[in-house]
Amino acid sequence: MPKAYWIARVNVTDPEAYAGYMALGPAALIAGGGRLLSRGGRSVALEGPEPFERTVVIEFPSMEAALACHDGPQYRAARDKRHGAAEVEILIVEGLD
């Protein structure tokens, strides 16, 4: 079963409110089987639109695990804290077998 990679692009619009997400989000991702590979480091757009402020890459054991984490109660609580505090795009891609 191939691994899956959660790629999030984030522009924080309310740092104080976003801190509430940060208090819950990373722990929820790890509890859901995720392994943080990149979280807000430097990024360079070689083609296409400029990068968001933060790009986050998380490895999961499978697409099913990544989707279950996103829809699970722990991450849902974190998402609720993030609401209105950031512009977010999340894409989950399946890796090669």
Side-chain angles (χ1 to χ4, degrees):
M1 179 178 305
K3 292 183 179 184
Y5 298 88
W6 174 319
I7 302 163
R9 296 173 8 120
V10 181
N11 282 329
V12 176
T13 56
D14 182 344
E16 188 174 308
Y18 193 75
Y21 168 78
M22 289 302 295
L24 301 176
L29 293 163
I30 292 166
R35 184 169 73 99
L36 294 163
L37 300 179
S38 174
R39 190 172 84 182
R42 272 184 8 165
S43 61
V44 176
L46 299 177
E47 297 183 32
E50 288 298 311
F52 281 39
E53 291 172 3
R54 301 171 61 86
T55 300
V56 181
V57 180
I58 306 152
E59 180 183 77
F60 284 87
S62 66
M63 178 67 81
E64 292 73 22
L67 292 169
C69 178
H70 185 267
D71 295 335
Q74 232 181 322
Y75 192 70
R76 201 172 320 123
R79 283 195 337 248
D80 288 346
K81 296 285 186 184
R82 188 186 66 215
H83 185 73
E87 300 168 355
V88 179
E89 293 179 358
I90 297 174
L91 175 69
I92 300 174
V93 297
E94 197 166 59
L96 299 174
D97 209 2

